[in-house]
Amino acid sequence: MAEPANNSEDDRLSCKILIIGAGMSGLSAATHLLKNNETDFLIVEARGRIGGRIIAVQVGNEKVELGANWIHGVLGNPMFELAMANGLIDIVHVPKPHKVVAALEDGKQLPFPVLREIYEAYVCFLRRCEEYFLSMYSPPDGITSVGAHIALEAEIYLSSVPPEQRRVRQLIFDCLLKRETCVTGCDSMDDVDLLEMGSYDELQGGNISLPNGYSAILEPVSKHIPKDRILMKHVVTKIRWQKQQCCQDDVDPTGKSDFKSNSLIEVQCENGKTITAEHVVCTLPLGVLKRTAKDLFEPSLPTYKLEAINRLMFGTVNKIFLEYERPFLNPGVSEVMLLWDDDRLSEAEKRDISKTWFRKIYSFIKISDTLLLGWISGRAAEYMEKLSTTEVSEVCTTILRRFLNDPFVPIPKNCLCTTWQSQPYTRGSYTAMAVGASQLDIRSLAEPLVQEKTEDNADEPVKILVAFAGEHTHSSFYSTVHGAYLTGRTAAELFLGTKQSEKHALSLSCEDTSDLSSWIQGISLN
Ligand SMILES: Cc1cc2nc3c(=O)[nH]c(=O)nc-3n(C[C@H](O)[C@H](O)[C@H](O)COP(=O)(O)OP(=O)(O)OC[C@H]3O[C@@H](n4cnc5c(N)ncnc54)[C@H](O)[C@@H]3O)c2cc1C
């Protein structure tokens, strides 16, 4: 049972296992400990809420998800199983047909068959990029990114199309690539490694959205965790995970520091609290690690880990919600694709993000008759975070009026934009494979920190001190909630006794999907 380390000092606490972060991975780790009767743990969370990148707010009559929205895949997805077991999925729900219109800057709309033709070609191009990961084929010389490969395929495709039909088809490819940057979490698909594109495992079954939003999953994931085990508004600023040689010789004159006397891990928080623990599960997002890892850990993280943190990408994806007084879009239309013609811009204009950021919004999707959603990624998304919602709302109105060729498109009564890059406890949206990064980097990140071998402990089994969890530590489900959930569970298992830890041979990665049932096994769905 977690308790104060020294009753006379309120600022010192101790527990066996300290979980840093109450996002999906941290909550999953805690729940897994509880299921296995391990109650001696605490969670420290920087924010005043649980959920991390799963959060919903109310906009008018709608509850909107600012972060995760879809359960990606059904077969083998623990989030789907959990949602089903807790009655969060409406199995009789028949989704409304999705009617997309693709509009040009002058308001002209393209015939749907053209859109479908290019979409089908684009999906083939994307699949071919993914195939490099498993196949022995090499890409054409000099092509290292997904963006470059798709551009090459699009060029070959368009060369067989009559010249007068090429331009609009090129604009659709451009729009689909902008959409892909939001799916992947990057500024440009030119930044995404071609050979590693297929390292992400797509589970079968499509994208499922929960009637009450993804955030409804937080209740079943957290309901068994006693409230007093989650210390909110505790920002971790230091993780002293191993005595350094200089400290080992130090004598603590007060005798109060468990860290020095017992070689426990000492975690310091911004609010002055210090927590000592035998083990730590660190779920700090990759964006936070990129900014703080160098100084956060004492001793510093091994170089191979710091290099992996550097190589992997943690881009920005933001959402723009526009709420209206009255419906104005044709009731049959559910999405307006914006076919920006960026080639018309001069090089100087292209470089000036203040003049072009909004051209990265690739569509507006109807969430309800009076609520629209736009997505934006990369540098443009980061630039938008500096603007007021009034400015964003005005720009969106201008865009809609232009593309719909309708000067009477109303001004939204409310505009809400996410700011994932500015969020100090996220610093971006999700993990992606930058050119030059690989699954090995994720495995390096996921590897636990273990106690150094000395003469005194040479005969003892290896002791795991810090385990790493979070979406960025799953080598094939990175960027997802289910990836985060599975890594939290695996991290917890490492501390459930030596037998389990030996079984995992110090590896936290759960990439083995060849036998789905083996890793689904053991997840209790109650
Ligand atoms: C816009 C957007 C859309 C997304 N859409 C989807 C989707 O549709 N489907 C999907 O599967 N995934 C989606 N994701 C990704 C998904 O949300 C994440 O992969 C997942 O929630 C990550 O969980 P986590 O536990 O790894 O990290 P987090 O949820 O980020 O949890 C980490 C926790 O650590 C805390 N923390 C940070 N710094 C400190 C500190 N110094 N001290 C203490 N605590 C700290 C944070 O406050 C946070 O609570 C989306 C994400 C975004 C941003």
Side-chain angles (χ1 to χ4, degrees):
M1 173 73 188
E3 59 183 24
N6 180 333
N7 290 339
S8 63
E9 275 189 66
D10 287 347
D11 283 346
R12 297 193 67 83
L13 292 167
S14 78
C15 58
K16 184 174 168 201
I17 302 163
L18 180 66
I19 300 167
I20 302 176
M24 181 50 78
S25 52
L27 296 173
S28 149
T31 302
H32 197 65
L33 291 176
L34 282 172
K35 273 183 192 156
N36 289 278
N37 302 317
E38 178 56 83
T39 57
D40 190 359
F41 69 86
L42 286 171
I43 307 180
V44 272
E45 167 53 51
R47 292 178 165 108
R49 61 169 179 84
I50 62 166
R53 278 169 273 169
I54 304 176
I55 172 171
V57 296
Q58 200 71 25
V59 174
N61 295 327
E62 298 284 332
K63 185 177 154 204
V64 299
E65 298 292 331
L66 303 182
N69 192 62
W70 292 288
I71 297 181
H72 294 303
V74 170
L75 184 66
N77 191 327
M79 307 324 296
F80 181 79
E81 307 267 341
L82 199 64
M84 274 298 273
N86 286 277
L88 298 177
I89 290 178
D90 181 2
I91 43 171
V92 290
H93 172 75
V94 182
K96 283 191 204 142
H98 191 60
K99 170 99 197 301
V100 185
V101 294
L104 298 163
E105 284 184 58
D106 62 6
K108 285 204 188 88
Q109 294 187 359
L110 294 192
F112 188 71
V114 179
L115 185 57
R116 192 172 49 204
E117 170 204 318
I118 298 303
Y119 181 71
E120 282 170 4
Y122 174 81
V123 170
C124 287
F125 300 168
L126 206 60
R127 293 285 166 261
R128 273 202 280 274
C129 289
E130 286 165 2
E131 277 165 18
Y132 284 113
F133 182 69
L134 288 177
S135 74
M136 290 176 338
Y137 300 111
S138 298
D141 274 352
I143 303 283
T144 56
S145 74
V146 174
H149 198 276
I150 291 183
L152 184 68
E153 292 232 63
E155 195 185 318
I156 296 168
Y157 179 90
L158 292 173
S159 65
S160 65
V161 167
E164 69 283 4
Q165 295 179 11
R166 282 181 199 158
R167 191 75 212 123
V168 289
R169 283 166 172 76
Q170 178 67 60
L171 298 186
I172 301 173
F173 279 130
D174 293 347
C175 180
L176 291 170
L177 277 168
K178 285 179 188 172
R179 178 175 174 271
E180 206 62 48
T181 62
C182 289
V183 175
T184 309
C186 59
D187 183 53
S188 155
M189 291 311 285
D190 293 347
D191 303 336
V192 180
D193 196 277
L194 176 59
L195 297 181
E196 292 290 322
M197 173 78 174
S199 63
Y200 174 81
D201 257 344
E202 210 169 302
L203 295 174
Q204 297 295 303
N207 293 332
I208 312 289
S209 61
L210 304 181
N212 289 325
Y214 212 148
S215 51
I217 205 83
L218 292 175
E219 205 274 327
V221 174
S222 63
K223 69 179 172 196
H224 297 298
I225 306 170
K227 295 281 166 288
D228 62 352
R229 298 296 159 77
I230 309 181
L231 308 178
M232 300 287 190
K233 302 203 168 174
H234 279 58
V235 182
V236 170
T237 51
K238 203 54 132 187
I239 303 170
R240 295 204 176 85
W241 60 280
Q242 184 142 267
K243 271 196 281 187
Q244 286 173 298
Q245 204 52 51
C246 62
C247 306
Q248 284 180 13
D249 303 333
D250 284 354
V251 178
D252 179 8
T254 64
K256 280 178 184 165
S257 173
D258 292 330
F259 173 62
K260 283 177 183 168
S261 55
N262 299 336
S263 76
L264 293 173
I265 303 165
E266 190 174 84
V267 172
Q268 254 176 22
C269 297
E270 206 173 57
N271 60 6
K273 292 265 164 53
T274 300
I275 303 151
T276 46
E278 279 176 45
H279 309 283
V280 163
V281 178
C282 174
T283 78
L284 295 176
L286 179 58
V288 173
L289 288 176
K290 276 182 180 285
R291 292 208 180 204
T292 63
K294 211 160 157 283
D295 303 317
L296 184 71
F297 293 85
E298 203 178 289
S300 181
L301 285 180
T303 311
Y304 76 91
K305 265 190 189 288
L306 291 173
E307 286 174 354
I309 290 169
N310 249 334
R311 269 193 295 268
L312 290 164
M313 195 191 323
F314 199 71
T316 306
V317 177
N318 277 321
K319 299 182 185 180
I320 307 164
F321 295 95
L322 302 168
E323 193 201 357
Y324 293 90
E325 208 76 68
R326 61 174 175 85
F328 65 92
L329 264 188
N330 181 326
V333 172
S334 45
E335 179 169 2
V336 182
M337 269 177 81
L338 310 173
L339 303 183
W340 296 101
D341 189 350
D342 292 336
D343 277 356
R344 288 206 316 220
L345 299 177
S346 68
E347 284 310 310
E349 278 174 321
K350 279 183 191 163
R351 277 195 300 274
D352 187 351
I353 192 100
S354 70
K355 302 237 164 50
T356 55
W357 68 270
F358 48 85
R359 303 177 78 92
K360 205 71 184 291
I361 305 172
Y362 65 87
S363 85
F364 284 105
I365 301 160
K366 202 195 267 178
I367 295 186
S368 75
D369 283 343
T370 52
L371 190 63
L372 295 187
L373 164 64
W375 290 77
I376 187 164
S377 68
R379 288 193 316 124
E382 286 161 23
Y383 181 81
M384 187 187 74
E385 293 188 13
K386 298 185 193 127
L387 303 177
S388 70
T389 49
T390 312
E391 284 170 290
V392 175
S393 161
E394 279 169 8
V395 169
C396 290
T397 305
T398 309
I399 295 173
L400 281 162
R401 286 179 179 171
R402 191 197 307 183
F403 280 85
L404 293 174
N405 202 8
D406 177 0
F408 300 109
V409 166
I411 292 167
K413 70 170 178 182
N414 193 6
C415 171
L416 177 77
C417 304
T418 60
T419 53
W420 285 107
Q421 177 59 227
S422 317
Q423 296 292 314
Y425 309 123
T426 311
R427 294 288 180 201
S429 297
Y430 30 87
T431 302
M433 286 289 179
V435 172
S438 79
Q439 263 190 337
L440 286 179
D441 290 315
I442 292 194
R443 294 205 182 109
S444 299
L445 252 183
E447 222 166 273
L449 299 172
V450 298
Q451 191 165 38
E452 221 173 41
K453 280 279 168 201
T454 61
E455 278 174 19
D456 297 341
N457 66 18
D459 300 332
E460 291 169 20
V462 173
K463 185 181 172 196
I464 298 172
L465 299 173
V466 183
F468 291 85
E471 54 86 11
H472 54 291
T473 64
H474 198 293
S475 58
S476 49
F477 296 150
Y478 50 86
S479 79
T480 66
V481 174
H482 55 283
Y485 178 89
L486 288 167
T487 58
R489 207 179 56 130
T490 313
E493 214 154 296
L494 286 180
F495 300 130
L496 284 172
T498 41
K499 281 210 169 65
Q500 276 101 330
S501 0
E502 277 162 15
K503 206 169 62 191
H504 282 270
L506 300 190
S507 172
L508 266 187
S509 52
C510 355
E511 75 278 16
D512 183 9
T513 52
S514 54
D515 175 11
L516 282 180
S517 59
S518 73
W519 62 260
I520 303 171
Q521 247 177 34
I523 302 175
S524 164
L525 300 177
N526 299 324

